[in-house]
């Protein structure tokens, strides 16, 4: 029975009393639904009788009490027991009642099973689960590091299934490509995880592929791209990435019709690194004038201005932009509402921030497999928060081959004549 006064006539603290009320309420409700489940099972089979006319399915007391860790804390459960005397004709074994609410093996609620790997993903070490959660949940049952390890092993199977899914029914119009390098505690070399994120025809963003590679090499990227093509992926209209030659070489091999867009964030950083610090603030403003221009013509004029200002003293810095001018300005051929999405790889970089935060806490993954599966689950968990691109209805127009000038849709000549 739940009491609100201790034996010494003192009242528990408000927090403890509230938790106790919640746990007691959860215990009583769970006991009630388990009783109802068993009663319904017995009532359904009440007509079953043996040769002597006795019922084959009857109540048989209770199982031994056990603690179940739930979102409300640790709840003691005393499940009702059923004596089922029926025999399975096919196997010759006795039939058994198994609760759909509380299976015999259950020691944690599904919500707790979901939360534990997420806490591990976001930086809590498996060895810290017991001291961190024991006070909150009221019990340390089911919180051992081994439990978390078993749960995370499922991630490898999830990733394998993800990388083997059929892509023929999905159309990615835009894609962003980038790689993240992670420390591996047991190895000297860093792991490189290659990530491909796409925009579907409805404007929503989605993880396309995630695979470990070797230093973002062309062959590593080509292997990933060929695998996507093998599973039915259609060539994207535009691919966005940094200046790493590996990805562009692979793209030209697998999807030669896809247009290229260089990331302005990476390009800006590369240009500024080749300039003295005194010249960097002005150069950064001049570069921003290029990719923030109102259309391609104004952007080209801004490139000429940048060349005039810095070409004489810093030709190498200017060359970094003029050599890739066509790829840097490709986004101007698409809807103006999409420019902010297409001129950088920010959709991937913002996701990588979560990954870097996790690896900073744990000082790197323990193995390459652990690094790969960790990045996969982190990206998968953040995917639900990705917002669609602006003007998502125009993505299908881009796939259909519609032409855009100054960011606006150009009507067909026959439509204008009409």
């Amino acid at each position: 029975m739940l009491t609100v006064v201790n034996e010494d006539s003192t009242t528990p603290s408000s927090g403890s009393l509230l938790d106790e009320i919640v746990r007691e309420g959860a215990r009583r409700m769970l006991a009630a639904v388990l009783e109802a489940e068993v009663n319904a099972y017995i009532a359904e089979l009440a007509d079953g009788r043996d040769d002597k006319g006795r019922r084959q399915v009857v109540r048989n007391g209770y199982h031994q009490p056990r603690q179940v860790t739930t979102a409300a804390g640790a709840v003691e459960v005393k499940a009702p027991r059923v004596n089922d005397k029926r025999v399975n004709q096919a196997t010759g074994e006795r039939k058994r009642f198994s609760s759909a609410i509380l299976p015999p093996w259950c020691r944690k609620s599904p919500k707790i099973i979901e939360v534990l790997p997420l806490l591990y993903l976001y930086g809590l070490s498996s060895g810290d689960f017991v001291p961190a959660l024991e006070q909150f949940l009221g019990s340390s049952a089911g919180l051992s590091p081994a439990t978390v390890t078993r749960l995370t092993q499922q991630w490898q199977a999830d990733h394998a299934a993800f990388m083997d899914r059929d892509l023929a029914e999905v159309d990615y119009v835009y894609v962003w490509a980038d790689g993240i390098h992670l420390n591996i505690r047991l190895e000297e070399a860093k792991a490189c995880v290659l990530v491909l994120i796409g925009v579907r025809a409805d404007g929503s963003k989605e993880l396309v592929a995630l695979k470990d590679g070797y230093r973002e090499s062309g062959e590593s990227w080509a292997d990933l791209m060929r695998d996507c093509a093998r599973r039915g992926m259609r060539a994207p209209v535009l691919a966005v990435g940094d200046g790493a030659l590996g990805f562009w070489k692979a793209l030209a091999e697998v999807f030669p019709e896809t247009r290229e867009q260089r990331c302005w964030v990476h390009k800006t950083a590369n240009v500024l690194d080749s300039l003295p610090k005194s010249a960097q603030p002005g150069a950064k403003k001049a570069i921003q004038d290029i990719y923030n221009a109102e259309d391609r013509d104004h952007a080209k004029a801004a490139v000429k201005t940048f060349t005039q200002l810095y070409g004489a003293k810093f030709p190498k810095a200017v060359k970094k932009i003029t050599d890739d001018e066509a790829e840097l300005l490709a986004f101007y051929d698409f809807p103006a509402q999409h420019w902010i999405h297409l001129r950088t790889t920010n959709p991937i970089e913002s996701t990588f921030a979560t990954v870097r935060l996790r690896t900073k806490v744990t000082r790197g993954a323990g193995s390459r497999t652990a690094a790969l599966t960790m990045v996969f689950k982190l990206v998968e968990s953040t995917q639900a928060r990705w917002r669609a691109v602006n003007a998502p209805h125009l993505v299908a127009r881009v796939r259909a081959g519609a032409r855009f000038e100054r960011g606006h849709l150009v009507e067909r000549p026959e439509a204008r004549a009409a």
Side-chain angles (χ1 to χ4, degrees):
M1 180 177 179
L2 179 62
T3 60
V4 295
V5 179
N6 295 329
E7 293 181 358
D8 57 359
S9 298
T10 61
T11 303
S13 64
S14 58
S16 299
L17 177 59
L18 177 61
D19 292 338
E20 183 61 28
I21 292 173
V22 170
R23 280 195 291 268
E24 178 63 16
R27 186 192 66 78
R28 293 181 181 181
M29 184 173 293
L30 182 57
V33 295
L34 290 175
E35 287 284 352
E37 182 186 32
V38 167
N39 291 338
Y41 180 81
I42 294 175
E44 182 181 357
L45 302 170
D47 294 336
R49 304 277 176 169
D50 59 15
D51 296 338
K52 298 181 180 180
R54 292 177 295 192
R55 296 172 61 176
Q56 291 183 301
V57 181
V58 295
R59 280 288 302 270
N60 189 21
Y62 291 89
H63 291 284
Q64 289 294 322
R66 55 173 153 145
Q67 281 197 337
V68 178
T69 305
T70 70
V75 177
E76 186 175 272
V77 179
K78 196 174 182 182
R81 188 163 53 187
V82 176
N83 185 9
D84 194 336
K85 302 176 183 178
R86 296 174 302 153
V87 177
N88 189 319
Q89 299 297 328
T91 63
E93 297 180 354
R94 286 271 300 272
K95 293 184 178 181
R96 294 181 180 275
F97 166 76
S98 181
S99 172
I101 300 171
L102 188 70
W105 45 264
C106 182
R107 294 295 184 275
K108 297 180 295 297
S109 72
K111 197 68 177 177
I112 296 297
I113 294 175
E114 294 174 6
V115 166
L116 294 183
L118 287 177
L119 292 176
Y120 175 77
L121 275 177
Y122 286 102
L124 188 64
S125 172
S126 58
D128 294 333
F129 273 78
V130 172
L133 298 181
E134 184 175 8
Q135 291 297 321
F136 177 73
L137 297 176
S139 172
S140 62
L143 301 179
S144 67
T147 300
V148 181
T149 301
R150 287 194 300 268
L151 292 173
T152 55
Q153 286 175 350
Q154 179 61 36
W155 297 350
Q156 298 179 27
D158 294 343
H159 177 253
F162 174 81
M163 289 300 293
D164 197 41
R165 76 194 192 286
D166 184 17
L167 297 178
E169 301 299 324
V170 187
D171 185 15
Y172 298 109
V173 181
Y174 303 133
V175 295
W176 294 276
D178 206 351
I180 183 170
H181 298 265
L182 303 174
N183 289 324
I184 304 298
R185 293 196 299 268
L186 304 180
E187 299 180 17
E188 293 184 4
K190 289 186 175 182
C192 180
V193 179
L194 309 179
V195 180
L196 204 64
I197 292 176
V199 175
R200 300 169 63 116
D202 62 358
S204 61
K205 299 172 187 172
E206 184 175 271
L207 177 64
V208 180
L210 186 146
K211 189 177 186 296
D212 61 334
Y214 178 72
R215 298 182 180 179
E216 295 191 69
S217 66
E219 186 54 39
S220 295
W221 274 113
D223 186 46
L224 183 146
M225 302 296 286
R226 284 192 292 263
D227 181 65
C228 290
R230 175 187 62 80
R231 291 185 283 129
M233 179 177 172
R234 187 178 178 185
V237 176
L238 181 72
V240 187
D242 64 15
L245 297 179
F247 171 71
W248 302 116
K249 181 180 178 182
L251 185 70
E253 174 190 335
V254 182
F255 297 124
E257 61 270 43
T258 299
R259 295 190 60 185
E260 302 177 7
Q261 169 64 48
R262 298 292 189 271
C263 172
W264 272 102
V265 171
H266 287 86
K267 180 61 70 174
T268 301
N270 291 336
V271 172
L272 296 182
D273 284 345
S274 61
L275 295 172
K277 288 187 176 181
S278 59
Q280 289 182 7
K284 184 176 182 179
K285 178 63 172 63
I287 293 173
Q288 290 174 342
D289 290 341
I290 300 174
Y291 62 78
N292 285 329
E294 59 182 285
D295 54 42
R296 179 187 290 273
D297 293 337
H298 286 84
K300 287 185 175 182
V303 172
K304 291 181 179 179
T305 300
F306 181 81
T307 303
Q308 293 171 357
L309 291 174
Y310 298 96
K313 290 185 177 181
F314 313 108
K316 290 184 178 180
V318 173
K319 198 170 184 295
K320 291 178 182 291
I321 289 183
T322 56
D323 285 356
D324 291 337
E325 182 176 342
E327 290 79 10
L328 286 167
L329 303 183
F331 71 93
Y332 281 110
D333 293 333
F334 295 87
Q337 296 91 331
H338 298 173
W339 290 355
I340 192 173
H341 304 287
L342 301 180
R343 60 195 179 200
T344 71
T345 56
N346 280 350
I348 288 186
E349 289 297 329
S350 59
T351 301
F352 281 175
T354 302
V355 177
R356 292 189 179 98
L357 177 63
R358 169 67 175 97
T359 54
K360 182 178 179 180
V361 171
T362 59
R363 296 182 178 85
S367 66
R368 288 182 175 271
T369 301
L372 180 64
T373 53
M374 181 190 67
V375 174
F376 168 67
K377 296 304 289 187
L378 281 171
V379 174
E380 188 182 55
S381 65
T382 60
Q383 186 172 239
R385 299 193 297 271
W386 293 347
R387 67 180 184 89
V389 298
N390 298 334
H393 64 282
L394 293 177
V395 178
R397 292 288 191 96
V398 172
R399 170 56 82 187
R403 192 161 61 91
F404 294 84
E405 289 184 2
R406 300 178 183 274
H408 300 289
L409 178 65
V410 177
E411 298 293 341
R412 296 177 180 177
E414 57 269 23
R416 289 200 301 268

